[in-house]
Amino acid sequence: MAKKRPQTKARRPQPTDGDLPVVGAREPCPCGSGRRYKACHGRAAAQAGTELVQRPFEGLSGEGDWVALRELVPAATVELTLKDGLPEGVPSITLATVLPMAWPALRRDDGSVLLALQNDTASGDLSRDLADTLLRALEAEPGTPVQGRRAPADGPRLQDLLAADAPFEPVVHEGFEFWVPDAENATPEVTASLERANAAAIPTVRLPDLDAAYWCETPDKNHLRWVMPHEEERLLDALARLSAAGDSGLGEGTRLVGSFRAHGLTVPVWDLPSGVGAADVEKPAAEFAERLATALAIEAPLTPDERRARGGLTNRQVTLS
């Protein structure tokens, strides 16, 4: 007796993700699954748009300074260089910590572009959101701001747009006069806005010979906040070794008080006496960098004193982002 041949249903050709047309979240998914788009192929797209990228600036020139300008520095600008050069009609692209009215970007009357770094973003990938804002600013009409939006999940990132070998050289400003080309002749409304913003800015200086180290002045004491590229666990071990040995300070009256965690990097923070200015801390900070390099090279397990010091540093660590 002949065996029955298994009955099979002809399968409809399944489109790839790239072939799927755009549909509403509640509409049937065009792949033919019978489910709504948001519960089928739309789920992966939504997840890609919200999944947090821990180190959004990784691979960019000056990653530590990107983090500092995003989280620590009130007023600063950096000239950006595109891989493919500036488009016609765009004389320059400038990254700014913040822009008036919290605009994500601004196309000036002369065609130049200002891109703000400290704005809230709609997705979990800060680099992709900033790249999307930048591309839209390049195409905006001169004299208009660019509003924020959720960047497409498959859109380019800053790493795709910016020249990897171009220097990233922040210029820290005392105030926000860079908002307007001619601050002295600004309208009374603009002048008042500038005065309010300037009054809230904490005096900040970037130490010129160190990567991503920033001195700042507060009413009670000054601080040094230093964004470091080292792997977090290894860096904390090294800081613990120096703390246990009494070598973690930057001179008399200074103290390593803890660290921030920001965009995948660790930011040690020192308290400084009010009389210690940015120039005063440059040499001690450079000497500390040498001690830190030695401590980072040690492979031996932490001693009991070093473990206690590490616990104290960990307890005083704050995550910014």
Side-chain angles (χ1 to χ4, degrees), residues 62-73:
E63 180 185 6
D65 284 306
W66 278 91
V67 173
L69 268 57
R70 168 72 181 182
E71 300 294 341
L72 307 175
V73 181

Side-chain angles (χ1 to χ4, degrees), residues 232-233 236-237 240 302 306-315:
E232 181 180 350
E233 296 301 315
L236 289 175
D237 281 352
L302 297 179
E306 291 168 347
R307 287 199 299 271
R308 282 191 289 271
R310 193 185 195 283
L313 290 171
T314 302
N315 291 337

Side-chain angles (χ1 to χ4, degrees), residues 17 20 56 77 79 84 95-96 113-114 124 139 141 176 183 211 220 247 258 282 284 300 303 305 307:
D17 289 353
L20 291 175
T77 55
E79 296 301 311
D84 299 328
L95 180 72
V113 167
L114 290 175
E139 297 178 353
E141 290 295 325
F176 295 90
D211 290 334
D220 297 329
D247 288 334
E282 287 181 16
T303 67
D305 286 345
R307 287 199 299 271

Side-chain angles (χ1 to χ4, degrees), residues 143-308:
T144 59
V146 176
Q147 302 300 327
R149 71 171 187 181
R150 181 186 294 277
D154 59 349
R157 308 178 73 238
L158 288 173
Q159 289 82 346
D160 302 316
L161 303 181
L162 301 182
D165 56 350
F168 189 82
E169 300 174 344
V171 177
V172 179
H173 303 277
E174 294 183 359
F176 295 90
E177 281 74 18
F178 63 85
W179 282 354
V180 290
D182 188 6
E184 292 183 356
N185 296 318
T187 64
E189 292 79 7
V190 171
T191 300
S193 178
L194 281 173
E195 290 177 351
R196 289 192 298 269
N198 290 343
I202 297 174
T204 302
V205 176
R206 183 179 186 270
L207 301 192
D209 296 327
L210 299 172
D211 290 334
Y214 289 82
W215 171 93
C216 68
E217 180 183 15
T218 61
D220 297 329
K221 62 185 69 175
N222 299 339
H223 304 280
L224 181 70
R225 301 179 290 189
W226 194 343
V227 186
M228 295 189 171
H230 315 292
E231 190 273 326
E232 181 180 350
E233 296 301 315
R234 183 167 164 244
L235 175 59
L236 289 175
D237 281 352
L239 293 174
R241 296 183 196 278
L242 295 175
S243 295
D247 288 334
S248 61
L250 301 176
E252 183 177 356
T254 68
R255 186 168 69 96
L256 175 64
V257 293
S259 63
F260 298 125
R261 182 188 294 114
H263 303 293
L265 298 184
T266 304
V267 189
V269 179
W270 285 264
D271 279 352
L272 311 172
S274 296
V276 175
D280 300 321
V281 80
E282 287 181 16
K283 182 178 178 181
E287 293 170 348
F288 174 84
E290 295 178 359
R291 298 197 300 273
L292 179 63
T294 300
L296 286 167
I298 298 175
E299 300 290 345
L302 297 179
T303 67
D305 286 345
E306 291 168 347
R307 287 199 299 271
R308 282 191 289 271

